[in-house]
Amino acid sequence: MEHVPPPAEELARLDRELAELDARRAQLLTRRAWLLAALRPTVPTAAPGWNPSGWGAPPGTPAHPWGQVPKRPSAPRGAQNVLLTLGGLLLTVAAIAFTLVSWGSMGIGGRSAVLAAVTLGALAAPAVLLRRGLAATAEALAALALVLTLLDVYAVHAVAAPDTDGLGFTALASAVLAALWTAYGLALGKLRQPLPAAVVLAQWPLLFWAWAVGAPAPVVGWALLATAVLDGAIALWGKGAGVRVTACVGGAVMGFSALMVGLALSLTAPGPLGAVAPGVLLLTASAAAVAGAWRAPKGFARTGGAVAGLAAVAAVGGVPAAALPAGWRVLAYLLCGLALTAVVRSRLPGHAARGVLAASGAVVAGALVWALPPLAAVLLGPVTVLSDVWAGTPDGFRSALGSTLPWSELAAAPVVLALVAGLLGAANRWWPSVVRLAAPLAGPTTADAGPPAAPAAGAPGTDAPGAAGGAAPWPGWSGWTGRPGAGAGGRGRPSAATLRGVVGAGAVALGWGALLLAGALLDVPHALALAGETALVGVLLTLAVRGGGAERGATAMPVTALVASVAGAVSAGLLSLASEGASYAVFGALAALFAGAALRAGAGVPRAVFAVAAVVWGTVITGLAGRSLGLAPHEAAPLMLLVPALTVLLGARLRRNPVALPVELTGVLGALVAVGLAVSDAPFLALVLALCGVLAAGTAVRPERRPVAGYLAAALFVLATWVRLAASEVSFPEAYTLPVTVPALLVGAARRRRDPEASSWTAYGPGLAATLLPSLAVAWTDPDWLRPLLLGTAALVITLLGARHRLQALLLLGGTVLALVGLHELAPYVVQVAGALPRWLPPALAGLLLLVVGATYEQRLRDARRLKDALGRMR
């Protein structure tokens, strides 16, 4: 017979074996590290047939006599370079200190001789060092030479030309030093510092010259632009990555500064003629960016195209914008930004053209962002009506919004939205034409669906459109054409249906926003605004319903219409709260519109959203009815249950329809609102809870809802009883609960006798809770000792019975009540003890407890699992 040890003994044995394995693994890893260290300095490659996992050393490897791990000797040349580099840095520091501190103690001749000698020596030393292979030292001394030349310039200005203008001298000195270091870097081509340093020095001559002569802002802009153009040329044709990167950074900074100067001058121009000069500066910058993008790599070409497009928009749009009022200037820039889309028919390289299109999109996005604040005010402004419902009909739409925006300066906002919406709608309507126009700018892909195109004009790798007859310009182009049966886009590329849907969604959203803004800016009458917003909701619902059967990937437009319809309905509903008649009219129309949309829509999420919204609007109408009848909030609470009652009936009618559950859950939310309204009055709260219990019981008739609704109905009835008893100031609730508990327990016992597998919660839970919970609530506020004693005794008996007969409901209910009663009785003594303890002791005890629990975490986890399993085996 095989001996099976107890679990504790077997676990200890496993832990010992695992510890031994860990120790063995550590020993093997230590040996492996020694072998690797021994191999590095002597044997570059392992001998054939040698197994590195073995114990012995590889063939040809002498063993270390003392068993120590040999250290790899450092390379002499590397150590020498490090020392010399540090020496060069120290010399640089000494030179700076000498120039700043000891300069005054020497004569003019001595100063010149010392600086000249040191500078010439520092310039000549790198050439000698490079011939000897000391590149790091040469670089260090070249850096020293750069610092010395800067000190020479400072010394010359301080001694030889102290009366010279500082800005003009700096401009000349930076030009001379840039030329000097360019020649020096070209002569010693192996040095990496001189040429980038020359590029840095070349950034300043023109700028400092413009400042020195007191040039106006346009001249400063031209100086910055000329420097940026020089940087661009260096970035394209310069020698070495360091030179090109430095030139790119300098060109970006100087070009951005030039553009900011031109843009500031254009925006502050007093008229169209004043905007011409900065416009010429911006156009020149645009041309320079295009020229650079024509020859630049992929990423830089796109950036150059984007900069060129933005500069062109600022240049051309600034002239008419200077003649327009402040509220209409954005329209001029928007039109120029839209005109950039003509780049699709130009001969500009593909990446640069995509950058120009990105600039067009950025301009359009900026104009839309400018129009967002007034649109948000129109949508969110009606929230202010909630503070004074039915206060009276406002004079106009704008006065009902309660916004302080300068509406006269936002006159172009609806025009901007309408213009972009119209263009997007046209693109959605003539999508195949848009695709053909944009074909030269689309990148090829090999992951698209569909057969490869015929090798004709427009084959892969070309920018021309496809051949006649609709041949695709590259494999998978059919996924972008929108033709029936076309495949989806390539990997990471949206399909044609998705793109077209997004364009249509943008047209819908922007068109809706334009109409709302137009009504606010025109300040139409309040009634007309309500009618218009409600009609817009109906149109959006139509679009959402008709788009519900859209093909896969083309769901953006119906989803946008759905979201906009809900947002518009909320805004219109809030706006209608200004008067009683308008409230009923608008919310009634909204309920009818959304109910009709739910009936017309196909199965799916939109239909459920329509149905839920209709239920919400119906709930609002019942609340309005209570206000019209002059009822207090708690008196109107029972009236609010009409819609939840209808949702119960509708759920019974729909049965397992996917819409049934959302509708019923919305009815539950309405019931919660009714309970919240009745909280202030206990009798009405008991009535509302009882009515909610009736609705839950009616729902529990259906088998699919019975597991949840049945328990909910029982809980609501019990809770209504408790609230009613509390409202009647009953001090002895057991007189009312025990007559219910005893029969309920007898019925539960009979149920368990017929069906031993029945749950104890079903058999005994309701009966026990009917008495234990109200008594517990009263016991916590009862200063006498008799009730807690009797309740604790009863709870103890119930707990013992549950443990004896393995009944989960009795064990948990009795144990919980017993613990709470004991806590209530011991609470005063616990407070006294806590007050007598030092304040540091509770945190220390808590920390100690956490340490103990953490140290025995696995054991505690096993105990918790064992307890869970024990409870799970109970009935």
Side-chain angles (χ1 to χ4, degrees):
M1 180 180 297
E2 183 179 359
H3 172 68
V4 178
E9 181 181 348
E10 184 178 2
L11 179 62
R13 182 183 302 171
L14 290 177
D15 290 339
R16 287 194 300 270
E17 292 178 1
L18 289 174
E20 292 173 0
L21 289 175
D22 290 339
R24 179 63 174 167
R25 174 179 172 82
Q27 183 181 8
L28 292 175
L29 289 175
T30 303
R31 179 64 180 177
R32 181 179 183 274
W34 185 91
L35 292 173
L36 290 176
L39 285 173
R40 287 193 186 101
T42 55
V43 183
T45 56
W50 174 67
N51 183 10
S53 62
W55 279 101
T61 303
H64 199 276
W66 299 102
Q68 298 175 353
V69 178
K71 295 184 179 179
R72 184 178 182 179
S74 59
R77 182 62 57 85
Q80 183 181 14
N81 287 339
V82 170
L83 294 176
L84 291 176
T85 302
L86 292 176
L89 294 177
L90 291 176
L91 285 176
T92 303
V93 174
I96 296 174
F98 166 76
T99 304
L100 297 179
V101 178
S102 302
W103 187 262
S105 62
M106 301 179 64
I108 184 65
R111 300 171 187 173
S112 302
V114 169
L115 264 183
V118 173
T119 303
L120 290 176
L123 289 173
V128 179
L129 293 172
L130 286 175
R131 285 197 298 269
R132 296 187 177 183
L134 301 176
T137 308
E139 292 288 350
L141 290 181
L144 173 63
L146 173 62
V147 175
L148 289 175
T149 54
L150 296 177
L151 294 177
D152 287 337
V153 171
Y154 168 75
V156 169
H157 180 265
V159 177
D163 298 329
T164 307
D165 178 61
L167 291 175
F169 184 85
T170 304
L172 178 61
S174 58
V176 172
L177 289 178
L180 172 64
W181 278 93
T182 300
Y184 185 74
L186 293 175
L188 300 178
K190 293 183 179 180
L191 291 178
R192 292 175 293 180
Q193 296 183 29
L195 290 179
V199 174
V200 174
L201 291 170
Q203 307 301 309
W204 310 113
L206 292 179
L207 180 60
F208 281 113
W209 169 81
W211 284 350
V213 300
V219 177
V220 175
W222 282 105
L224 292 170
L225 180 59
T227 306
V229 171
L230 175 63
D231 289 329
I234 296 174
L236 288 175
W237 296 293
K239 179 182 179 181
V243 174
R244 294 182 178 181
V245 170
T246 306
C248 285
V249 174
V253 174
M254 293 298 176
F256 179 77
S257 302
L259 290 175
M260 290 299 101
V261 171
L263 181 61
L265 294 174
S266 178
L267 293 176
T268 58
L273 293 179
V276 171
V280 173
L281 173 63
L282 293 170
L283 276 180
T284 306
S286 176
V290 169
W294 204 286
R295 298 173 178 83
K298 174 181 176 181
F300 292 99
R302 290 185 179 179
T303 304
V307 171
L310 293 174
V313 169
V316 179
V319 177
L324 295 174
W328 290 91
R329 292 184 178 181
V330 66
L331 191 60
Y333 293 106
L334 175 62
L335 292 175
C336 293
L338 293 174
L340 290 179
T341 55
V343 74
V344 298
R345 307 307 298 171
S346 68
R347 296 183 179 180
L348 199 64
H351 295 300
R354 293 189 190 99
V356 176
L357 287 181
S360 175
V363 173
V364 175
L368 296 179
V369 170
W370 173 82
L372 282 181
L375 180 58
V378 172
L379 290 174
L380 302 178
V383 175
T384 58
V385 181
L386 291 174
S387 60
D388 196 3
V389 178
W390 293 354
T393 303
D395 296 333
F397 187 15
R398 199 183 302 170
S399 60
L401 300 177
S403 177
T404 58
L405 288 176
W407 294 100
S408 59
E409 299 180 6
L410 300 171
V415 180
V416 168
L417 295 179
L419 178 60
V420 179
L423 292 175
L424 292 178
N428 181 69
R429 172 65 178 82
W430 291 286
W431 182 253
S433 301
V434 173
V435 170
R436 285 195 298 272
L437 289 174
L441 298 182
T445 177
T446 58
D448 288 340
T462 67
D463 286 339
W474 54 74
W477 174 249
S478 60
W480 285 69
T481 58
R483 296 194 302 268
R491 181 178 302 173
R493 171 181 294 171
S495 64
T498 301
L499 290 176
R500 188 172 187 177
V502 170
V503 171
V508 170
L510 296 178
W512 169 63
L515 293 175
L516 291 180
L517 268 180
L521 288 167
L522 295 175
D523 199 14
V524 298
H526 184 260
L528 182 58
L530 286 177
E533 286 204 35
T534 308
L536 282 177
V537 171
V539 173
L540 292 171
L541 287 175
T542 302
L543 290 176
V545 170
R546 290 184 177 179
E551 59 178 312
R552 182 178 178 86
T555 58
M557 187 162 64
V559 169
T560 303
L562 174 61
V563 174
S565 65
V566 174
V570 172
S571 179
L574 292 174
L575 194 65
S576 70
L577 295 177
S579 63
E580 183 176 1
S583 300
Y584 284 108
V586 170
F587 279 105
L590 292 176
L593 287 173
F594 278 88
L599 294 176
R600 294 289 302 275
V605 175
R607 186 176 186 182
V609 174
F610 296 144
V612 166
V615 173
V616 171
W617 309 142
T619 305
V620 174
I621 292 174
T622 57
L624 296 176
R627 184 179 179 87
S628 297
L629 295 175
L631 302 176
H634 64 274
E635 295 174 341
L639 187 62
M640 295 288 293
L641 295 177
L642 287 177
V643 174
L646 292 177
T647 59
V648 171
L649 297 176
L650 185 60
R653 176 70 175 83
L654 295 175
R655 287 289 179 178
R656 298 187 181 275
N657 192 295
V659 181
L661 182 60
V663 168
E664 293 179 77
L665 291 178
T666 309
V668 171
L669 293 178
L672 291 177
V673 172
V675 172
L677 293 175
V679 165
S680 59
D681 189 274
F684 271 92
L685 178 59
L687 175 61
V688 171
L689 289 173
L691 293 176
C692 291
V694 172
L695 296 178
T699 305
V701 174
R702 297 159 52 193
E704 67 273 13
R705 300 285 187 260
R706 188 171 300 158
V708 176
Y711 288 108
L712 181 61
L716 287 172
F717 283 131
V718 173
L719 186 59
T721 303
W722 296 344
V723 172
R724 181 67 258 184
L725 293 176
S728 302
E729 298 181 355
V730 174
S731 59
F732 189 64
E734 290 82 3
Y736 298 91
T737 58
L738 283 175
V740 177
T741 296
V742 174
L745 292 178
L746 293 176
V747 172
R751 167 74 182 277
R752 287 273 299 176
R753 186 175 293 108
R754 290 195 305 269
D755 183 12
E757 297 299 324
S759 172
S760 61
W761 289 101
T762 304
Y764 305 119
L768 291 175
T771 295
L772 289 178
L773 298 182
S775 298
L776 178 64
V778 177
W780 267 65
T781 58
D782 190 355
D784 199 3
W785 59 271
L786 182 59
R787 185 188 302 275
L789 177 61
L790 295 177
L791 180 60
T793 304
L796 177 60
V797 173
I798 293 172
T799 304
L800 294 176
L801 289 175
R804 172 66 180 82
H805 298 285
R806 305 180 63 81
L807 298 176
Q808 191 180 98
L810 276 67
L811 180 64
L812 294 182
L813 279 175
T816 302
V817 173
L818 181 61
L820 292 176
V821 171
L823 177 63
H824 175 264
E825 295 302 312
L826 294 176
Y829 305 103
V830 173
V831 171
Q832 292 178 4
V833 172
L837 293 176
R839 294 189 176 182
W840 58 267
L841 188 57
L845 293 176
L848 182 61
L849 176 63
L850 292 177
L851 289 176
V852 172
V853 172
T856 60
Y857 175 74
E858 294 295 334
Q859 182 63 37
R860 301 288 79 78
L861 192 61
R862 286 193 294 270
D863 294 341
R865 289 172 179 167
R866 196 174 297 115
L867 178 61
K868 177 184 175 182
D869 294 339
L871 288 175
R873 288 192 294 268
M874 293 184 178
R875 296 303 301 171

